[in-house]
Amino acid sequence: MHPLDVVKTRFQIQRGKTDPTSYKSLGDSFRTIFRTEGLFGFYKGILPPIMAETPKRAVKTFAVAGLGSGLTEAVVVNPFEVVKVSLQANRNAFTEQPSTFVQARRIITTEGLGFRGLNKGLTATLGRHGVFNMVYFGFYFNVKNIIPVNEEPTLEFLRKFGIGLVSGTIASIINIPFDVAKSRIQGPQPEPGEIKYRTCFKTMATVYKEEGFLALYKGLVPKIMRLGPGGAVMLLVYEYAYAWLQENW
């Protein structure tokens, strides 16, 4: 699902039609990245999410579900997100861009560990994960209890998958303004040496004022394509793995 995350970030950091690097459509973005950056261009920034996945899922499983888990999770993953977005924003060929560890070291050396460096955009990440998890878990477990269980295994699988898909989709639609703000803060600034996007809500206000309301929903299609099915898969794995463990252990 990572190529969709790369495309989503690219849409979110481009600043309107006047941006010379802007893509015309979802298809155009895939064609342009493949033509100019190669196949591996779709996997820029893949290592930080992989490195963050284990602690992220552990936090999501053992912390209080919903808002609390999202806020806790955001603190864990934000430094990885900073490195990931900076790599995804790089439009050079994959072989020409710095490695994950070189990029992380550069951020720490030049910008530090604080809110202007490896932890910039933390408030936007808190909003993104907090809102997503609150809606995602709240919708899934409430709706799952309303829709009757189906005795036929295939239909029961589809019931859970459908609820998970809708949960991930709705949560993505609601939290994407935070995601756009996060990408703007963590991505390259319009003018080198000048910080235009600094705080979460101020960034949202700036994007709304300069580019319109719909700019707060940039990257929504690839985000839904990634987190709709991804959300369904995660909850299905949880449900069936938990049931298997209960039965066998």
Side-chain angles (χ1 to χ4, degrees):
M1 310 302 280
H2 190 76
L4 291 165
D5 193 50
V6 173
V7 171
K8 180 211 71 170
T9 300
R10 292 287 179 86
F11 273 114
Q12 291 178 341
I13 62 178
Q14 64 188 28
R15 296 172 292 279
K17 296 180 180 178
T18 56
D19 189 334
T21 61
S22 65
Y23 302 117
K24 298 181 181 67
S25 65
L26 188 64
D28 178 56
S29 68
F30 276 97
R31 287 191 297 270
T32 302
I33 292 172
F34 181 75
R35 185 177 64 251
T36 60
E37 303 170 47
L39 179 63
F40 288 109
F42 291 110
Y43 292 91
K44 288 181 174 180
I46 184 66
L47 189 55
I50 290 174
M51 294 171 64
E53 201 64 20
T54 299
K56 173 181 173 181
R57 296 306 175 197
V59 167
K60 184 173 284 186
T61 302
F62 294 109
V64 177
L67 179 62
S69 70
L71 297 177
T72 311
E73 174 186 279
V75 175
V76 174
V77 304
N78 191 67
F80 296 92
E81 286 288 318
V82 172
V83 178
K84 184 199 76 169
V85 170
S86 67
L87 290 170
Q88 291 178 336
N90 187 317
R91 293 175 184 262
N92 295 330
F94 183 83
T95 54
E96 297 174 5
Q97 76 164 24
S99 70
T100 297
F101 294 104
V102 169
Q103 185 71 357
R105 191 182 306 118
R106 185 197 66 78
I107 293 171
I108 294 170
T109 302
T110 59
E111 301 171 357
L113 296 168
F115 296 128
R116 293 191 178 184
L118 205 59
N119 272 293
K120 62 184 171 185
L122 178 60
T123 53
T125 305
L126 288 167
R128 185 182 79 157
H129 287 257
V131 170
F132 183 91
N133 284 8
M134 181 172 61
V135 175
Y136 176 64
F137 286 115
F139 183 91
Y140 179 81
F141 286 107
N142 279 286
V143 172
K144 192 185 76 164
N145 291 332
I146 294 172
I147 300 178
V149 174
N150 201 300
E151 296 298 327
E152 210 284 309
T154 302
L155 293 177
E156 176 60 12
F157 175 88
L158 292 174
R159 180 185 80 97
K160 290 177 178 176
F161 182 87
I163 299 170
L165 180 69
V166 174
S167 300
T169 300
I170 293 175
S172 296
I173 293 170
I174 293 174
N175 89 325
I176 195 169
F178 291 96
D179 201 1
V180 172
K182 185 190 78 69
S183 292
R184 292 294 178 96
I185 295 167
Q186 295 177 346
Q189 299 291 322
E191 298 294 331
E194 178 184 334
I195 301 177
K196 179 177 182 178
Y197 305 116
R198 190 183 299 272
T199 61
C200 178
F201 291 106
K202 187 176 179 181
T203 297
M204 286 186 193
T206 300
V207 172
Y208 172 77
K209 181 180 178 181
E210 295 181 354
E211 303 171 43
F213 177 74
L214 291 179
L216 293 171
Y217 289 84
K218 285 184 174 181
L220 179 61
V221 173
K223 181 180 174 74
I224 288 175
M225 290 172 67
R226 172 177 170 252
L227 290 175
V233 168
M234 191 192 78
L235 286 171
L236 280 172
V237 170
Y238 166 77
E239 291 273 8
Y240 285 101
Y242 184 72
W244 184 86
L245 287 169
Q246 277 194 317
E247 183 179 341
N248 294 277
W249 295 86

